[in-house]
Amino acid sequence: MATNMKKKFEKYWGDPTKMNKMLFIPCVLDPRHKFTTLSFALKKMFGDNGATIEKDVREYMKSLFNEYSSSASKDKCGKLSSEVEASSSSYMVDIGDFYEELSRHTSGSGAGNSKSELDKYLAEDTEVGTSDFNVLLWWKYNSARFPFLSEMARDILAIPISSVASECAFSTGGRVLDSFRSSLTSKLVEALVCLQDWLRSESQPISIEEDLDSLEQLEQDLAKVGKEPSIDDI
């Protein structure tokens, strides 16, 4: 068991150079930490290899930001082109409005600025951390200054740090639907899994053996109710 646990650990943390760089991006997108905390933590954890990992994370962060900014710029460019084509077909092209829209498009894509959103964000001082600090709320308030980065933060910070919860759910379903109960419907399996979770969350333990008589009586009452004529039969 310990050997399997060690193999699992080595798979994700054994070789620092092969670690998924996405693990470090949430720290960079936290305005309380950015690369300041990440650089210190990497050096503390991996020693001399920390600087190499930090460099790789910076390159990964930059490529990820370029991906978001380029896709947004393509959307803006396509919208601008469609507007120009529509106005040209009606021979009502307003040159002044066209250049005004072009100027907004250029400034929005960052082509007219020497620094990108990412550079400006990293150059700013880190925020003071408080117990009630909300990272997603901070990005919501600063989405006007960092539209591309705020979109990145919304997507990346929503990624679960672990898949244990989903794997546990699948494992529970596997224990319910085994080779001897393979004919259960999906709704019945869902009901059994939910019922098991509700029973485990009860503050007072439930003993099925002690309540067996009551359950049998309840089952008989339900069977009698099912035999009685309903409104639809009248």
Side-chain angles (χ1 to χ4, degrees):
M1 182 175 174
T3 304
N4 294 332
M5 293 176 62
K6 188 174 186 300
K7 289 181 179 179
K8 198 75 171 181
F9 180 85
E10 294 292 338
K11 177 181 178 181
Y12 295 100
W13 302 94
D15 188 355
T17 59
K18 295 182 180 180
M19 292 170 59
N20 191 348
K21 303 304 182 294
M22 184 61 74
L23 292 172
F24 307 109
I25 300 301
C27 181
V28 181
L29 290 175
D30 191 329
R32 298 169 296 178
H33 302 293
K34 300 182 181 180
F35 274 105
T36 304
T37 302
L38 182 61
S39 176
F40 175 80
L42 289 176
K43 292 179 181 177
K44 198 77 173 177
M45 294 171 60
F46 304 108
D48 296 336
N49 292 330
T52 304
I53 300 175
E54 181 185 354
K55 181 181 178 181
D56 295 339
V57 174
R58 288 183 180 273
E59 293 178 356
Y60 183 83
M61 182 76 178
K62 186 176 181 180
S63 63
L64 192 62
F65 171 76
N66 291 336
E67 183 69 23
Y68 271 81
S69 59
S70 61
S71 60
S73 299
K74 289 179 182 178
D75 294 339
K76 290 182 180 180
C77 184
K79 183 179 180 181
L80 180 61
S81 300
S82 61
E83 292 176 355
V84 172
E85 290 176 1
S87 58
S88 299
S89 60
S90 60
Y91 302 98
M92 296 293 291
V93 179
D94 190 337
I95 302 299
D97 292 341
F98 170 76
Y99 280 108
E100 183 179 354
E101 293 179 2
L102 181 62
S103 177
R104 289 200 300 268
H105 165 71
T106 305
S107 60
S109 62
N113 301 326
S114 57
K115 287 186 176 181
S116 65
E117 282 183 28
L118 181 59
D119 296 331
K120 292 178 181 179
Y121 167 72
L122 295 177
E124 291 184 356
D125 295 335
T126 55
E127 295 287 338
V128 178
T130 57
S131 58
D132 58 344
F133 187 85
N134 191 319
V135 180
L136 290 176
L137 193 61
W138 187 94
W139 280 109
K140 181 179 179 180
Y141 290 154
N142 292 271
S143 59
R145 294 197 300 131
F146 309 113
F148 301 142
L149 281 175
S150 61
E151 186 177 356
M152 281 179 54
R154 181 191 62 189
D155 295 340
I156 295 175
L157 295 178
I159 300 175
I161 192 61
S162 174
S163 61
V164 171
S166 59
E167 291 179 357
C168 181
F170 283 113
S171 300
T172 303
R175 290 192 293 270
V176 172
L177 188 64
D178 56 18
S179 57
F180 299 99
R181 291 178 286 184
S182 58
S183 61
L184 296 178
T185 63
S186 58
K187 290 186 177 180
L188 187 54
V189 172
E190 182 180 359
L192 291 173
V193 172
C194 292
L195 182 60
Q196 183 186 50
D197 184 66
W198 296 336
L199 291 174
R200 288 177 176 176
S201 63
E202 289 289 336
S203 57
Q204 296 293 334
I206 298 177
S207 176
I208 301 298
E209 291 77 7
E210 294 178 0
D211 299 333
L212 187 59
D213 295 337
S214 300
L215 292 174
E216 290 179 353
Q217 184 62 40
L218 179 61
E219 185 178 359
Q220 294 175 3
D221 294 340
L222 291 175
K224 292 179 182 179
V225 172
K227 293 179 180 179
E228 293 179 356
S230 61
I231 299 176
D232 297 332
D233 299 330
I234 299 175

